[in-house]
Amino acid sequence: MMVQPIPRKKIDTTVRWQGRDWTLTELAEAYDINRSTLYYRLFVYFWPVRRALTKPDRNKRQQAKRKPRKLYRYKGKNYSLSALAELSGKPMTTLATRLAKGMSVHDAVTTPIDKSKSRQRR
Protein backbone atom coordinates (compact mmCIF):
# COMPACT_ATOMS: atom_id res chain seq x y z
CA MET A 1 0.00 0.00 0.00
CA MET A 2 1.45 3.35 -0.99
CA VAL A 3 0.99 6.09 1.59
CA GLN A 4 0.29 9.53 0.21
CA PRO A 5 1.31 12.62 2.19
CA ILE A 6 -1.65 14.14 3.95
CA PRO A 7 -2.27 17.86 3.44
CA ARG A 8 -1.59 19.86 6.60
CA LYS A 9 -5.14 21.21 6.64
CA LYS A 10 -6.50 17.67 6.91
CA ILE A 11 -3.94 16.69 9.56
CA ASP A 12 -4.89 19.59 11.81
CA THR A 13 -8.33 18.14 12.45
CA THR A 14 -9.28 18.47 16.11
CA VAL A 15 -9.56 15.50 18.43
CA ARG A 16 -11.18 15.51 21.86
CA TRP A 17 -8.84 13.85 24.35
CA GLN A 18 -8.83 14.10 28.17
CA GLY A 19 -11.39 16.90 28.22
CA ARG A 20 -9.53 19.10 25.76
CA ASP A 21 -9.65 19.73 22.02
CA TRP A 22 -6.28 19.02 20.37
CA THR A 23 -5.15 19.43 16.79
CA LEU A 24 -3.49 16.31 15.44
CA THR A 25 -0.20 18.20 15.26
CA GLU A 26 -0.35 19.15 18.96
CA LEU A 27 -1.36 15.65 19.99
CA ALA A 28 1.36 14.01 17.87
CA GLU A 29 4.04 16.31 19.30
CA ALA A 30 2.83 15.78 22.89
CA TYR A 31 2.97 11.98 22.53
CA ASP A 32 6.02 11.89 20.22
CA ILE A 33 4.21 10.19 17.31
CA ASN A 34 4.39 11.07 13.62
CA ARG A 35 1.35 13.15 12.58
CA SER A 36 0.63 10.94 9.58
CA THR A 37 0.81 7.81 11.72
CA LEU A 38 -1.65 9.32 14.19
CA TYR A 39 -3.98 10.41 11.38
CA TYR A 40 -4.06 6.93 9.85
CA ARG A 41 -4.58 5.27 13.21
CA LEU A 42 -7.55 7.50 14.08
CA PHE A 43 -9.28 8.20 10.77
CA VAL A 44 -8.35 5.33 8.47
CA TYR A 45 -8.01 2.38 10.86
CA PHE A 46 -10.50 3.84 13.42
CA TRP A 47 -8.38 3.03 16.46
CA PRO A 48 -9.47 4.38 19.85
CA VAL A 49 -7.51 7.51 20.80
CA ARG A 50 -5.80 5.81 23.77
CA ARG A 51 -4.47 2.97 21.59
CA ALA A 52 -3.40 5.35 18.81
CA LEU A 53 -1.37 7.42 21.26
CA THR A 54 0.17 4.65 23.36
CA LYS A 55 1.25 2.13 20.70
CA PRO A 56 4.88 2.89 19.79
CA ASP A 57 5.61 4.29 16.36
CA ARG A 58 7.37 1.55 14.38
CA ASN A 59 9.69 4.02 12.63
CA LYS A 60 10.89 5.41 15.95
CA ARG A 61 11.44 1.86 17.28
CA GLN A 62 13.52 0.99 14.23
CA GLN A 63 15.60 4.14 14.60
CA ALA A 64 16.32 3.27 18.24
CA LYS A 65 17.58 -0.19 17.20
CA ARG A 66 20.08 1.12 14.66
CA LYS A 67 23.70 0.64 15.52
CA PRO A 68 25.90 3.72 15.65
CA ARG A 69 28.01 4.22 12.56
CA LYS A 70 31.42 2.55 12.85
CA LEU A 71 34.36 4.91 12.53
CA TYR A 72 37.78 4.04 11.14
CA ARG A 73 40.98 5.83 12.12
CA TYR A 74 43.03 7.01 9.15
CA LYS A 75 45.87 9.57 9.27
CA GLY A 76 44.90 10.68 12.78
CA LYS A 77 41.22 11.33 12.01
CA ASN A 78 38.05 9.26 12.33
CA TYR A 79 36.09 8.51 9.15
CA SER A 80 32.94 6.58 8.35
CA LEU A 81 33.17 3.94 5.63
CA SER A 82 31.42 6.21 3.12
CA ALA A 83 33.80 9.08 3.94
CA LEU A 84 36.79 6.75 3.45
CA ALA A 85 35.40 5.65 0.09
CA GLU A 86 34.97 9.25 -1.01
CA LEU A 87 38.45 10.16 0.24
CA SER A 88 40.15 7.23 -1.51
CA GLY A 89 38.04 7.18 -4.68
CA LYS A 90 37.37 3.46 -4.23
CA PRO A 91 33.94 1.81 -4.02
CA MET A 92 32.57 1.44 -0.50
CA THR A 93 32.04 -2.30 -1.05
CA THR A 94 35.71 -2.74 -1.93
CA LEU A 95 36.80 -1.06 1.30
CA ALA A 96 34.22 -2.98 3.36
CA THR A 97 35.41 -6.31 1.91
CA ARG A 98 39.06 -5.47 2.51
CA LEU A 99 38.42 -4.41 6.11
CA ALA A 100 36.27 -7.49 6.77
CA LYS A 101 39.12 -9.71 5.57
CA GLY A 102 41.43 -8.13 8.15
CA MET A 103 43.30 -5.58 6.07
CA SER A 104 44.43 -2.47 7.95
CA VAL A 105 42.59 0.77 7.21
CA HIS A 106 45.71 2.31 5.69
CA ASP A 107 46.27 -0.69 3.40
CA ALA A 108 42.59 -0.88 2.41
CA VAL A 109 42.62 2.77 1.36
CA THR A 110 46.01 2.91 -0.35
CA THR A 111 46.16 -0.47 -2.14
CA PRO A 112 45.16 -0.01 -5.78
CA ILE A 113 42.34 -2.07 -7.25
CA ASP A 114 43.60 -4.99 -9.32
CA LYS A 115 41.70 -4.62 -12.59
CA SER A 116 42.46 -8.21 -13.66
CA LYS A 117 40.49 -9.57 -10.68
CA SER A 118 37.53 -7.20 -10.96
CA ARG A 119 34.32 -8.24 -12.71
CA GLN A 120 33.84 -7.14 -16.26
CA ARG A 121 30.87 -4.83 -16.79
CA ARG A 122 28.68 -5.51 -19.78
Side-chain angles (χ1 to χ4, degrees):
M1 177 171 112
M2 189 165 181
V3 178
Q4 296 293 324
I6 303 163
R8 196 162 195 69
K9 191 181 349 175
K10 213 172 193 182
I11 285 183
D12 285 332
T13 307
T14 58
V15 175
R16 189 127 184 99
W17 173 243
Q18 294 183 338
R20 179 179 162 207
D21 286 332
W22 301 73
T23 65
L24 282 184
T25 304
E26 292 170 341
L27 203 52
E29 287 174 359
Y31 285 86
D32 195 30
I33 296 174
N34 186 303
R35 284 188 322 268
S36 295
T37 302
L38 186 58
Y39 174 85
Y40 273 87
R41 288 177 179 181
L42 293 173
F43 300 110
V44 176
Y45 306 129
F46 302 108
W47 287 12
V49 177
R50 179 183 307 270
R51 180 179 176 205
L53 293 174
T54 57
K55 185 162 173 84
D57 191 349
R58 182 179 355 169
N59 293 333
K60 293 194 187 285
R61 273 198 326 250
Q62 288 172 344
Q63 287 173 357
K65 287 182 183 178
R66 288 186 187 151
K67 292 180 184 177
R69 190 180 270 188
K70 186 171 182 177
L71 298 177
Y72 300 93
R73 193 135 187 96
Y74 179 65
K75 292 189 176 181
K77 293 183 180 177
N78 291 326
Y79 295 97
S80 66
L81 190 59
S82 58
L84 274 177
E86 190 175 317
L87 180 75
S88 68
K90 293 179 178 50
M92 199 163 61
T93 54
T94 300
L95 293 177
T97 303
R98 289 177 175 183
L99 293 168
K101 288 183 176 182
M103 205 180 239
S104 72
V105 176
H106 182 269
D107 290 342
V109 170
T110 57
T111 304
I113 296 173
D114 186 1
K115 297 289 183 184
S116 65
K117 291 183 180 180
S118 66
R119 293 183 187 174
Q120 295 293 325
R121 292 197 179 214
R122 295 178 193 203

